[in-house]
Amino acid sequence: MQPRLTLLTLGVADLGRAVRFYEALGWTRSRYASEGVAFFQLGGLVLSLYPRAALAEDAGIAAEGYGFRGFALAHNTGSRAETDAVLADAVAAGATLVKPAEDAFWGGYSGYFADPDGTLWEVAWNPDLLPLPDGSVRLPA
C-alpha cells in the first residue's frame, strides 16, 4: 500500500449544519454532487461530510459512541497570530474552543477547537512544519 491519504470522511449528525460550519470557515463546497454527502477540496486531500448513522451503517458498526475519539485533525499556520485568528474564526463559525492557543512543549504554539459534531481540530504554528504554498506541509529531512 502506498503511503497516501486521499479522502477523509467525517460522520456528522446534521449534514446541513456541518456544511454551513465549514463554509463559514471560508471553505468552498465542491460542485461535485452526490445526494446526502458534501465534499471540500483541501489541497491534495478531500474532506467528505456524510451522515453519521449512514457512515456507521456502511461500515457495519454501531453509530452510538461519543467523547474522545482518539484523533485530532490539524491545521498548521504560518505564525502565532495566524493560529489565534484561525481559532477565533472557527469559534465565530460555531466551533467550541476546547483549549486556547499556548506555547507547546515541542517548541510551537497551538490550541484546539471542536466542530459542531465534536471533531477535534488542532490549530498550530510549528516552526518545523510551516505550510507550503499549496497548503500542505513537508516533514523535515
Side-chain angles (χ1 to χ4, degrees):
M1 180 175 174
Q2 294 180 346
R4 172 179 62 230
L5 180 63
T6 53
L7 189 103
L8 174 66
T9 302
L10 300 181
V12 299
D14 181 324
L15 183 59
R17 178 187 70 183
V19 167
R20 288 188 300 277
F21 172 75
Y22 286 99
E23 288 178 336
L25 290 180
W27 297 12
T28 302
R29 183 178 180 178
S30 171
R31 291 180 18 184
Y32 173 73
S34 185
E35 188 173 334
V37 65
F39 299 101
F40 294 84
Q41 185 72 53
L42 308 180
L45 177 73
V46 172
L47 176 69
S48 169
L49 304 176
Y50 194 63
R52 182 181 174 92
L55 182 60
E57 180 182 343
D58 186 51
I61 60 173
E64 297 79 29
Y66 292 92
F68 182 60
R69 295 179 175 116
F71 73 91
L73 304 175
H75 177 89
N76 280 46
T77 67
S79 69
R80 292 170 182 265
E82 185 182 354
T83 298
D84 291 332
V86 169
L87 287 169
D89 288 347
V91 170
T96 300
L97 184 63
V98 174
K99 179 182 174 187
E102 60 184 33
D103 289 329
F105 70 91
W106 41 264
Y109 181 73
S110 73
Y112 289 85
F113 72 84
D115 76 4
D117 285 284
T119 301
L120 193 60
W121 282 84
E122 178 187 25
V123 180
W125 169 75
N126 182 331
D128 294 325
L129 297 177
L130 296 175
L132 297 171
D134 68 358
S136 66
V137 296
R138 185 174 316 274
L139 294 172

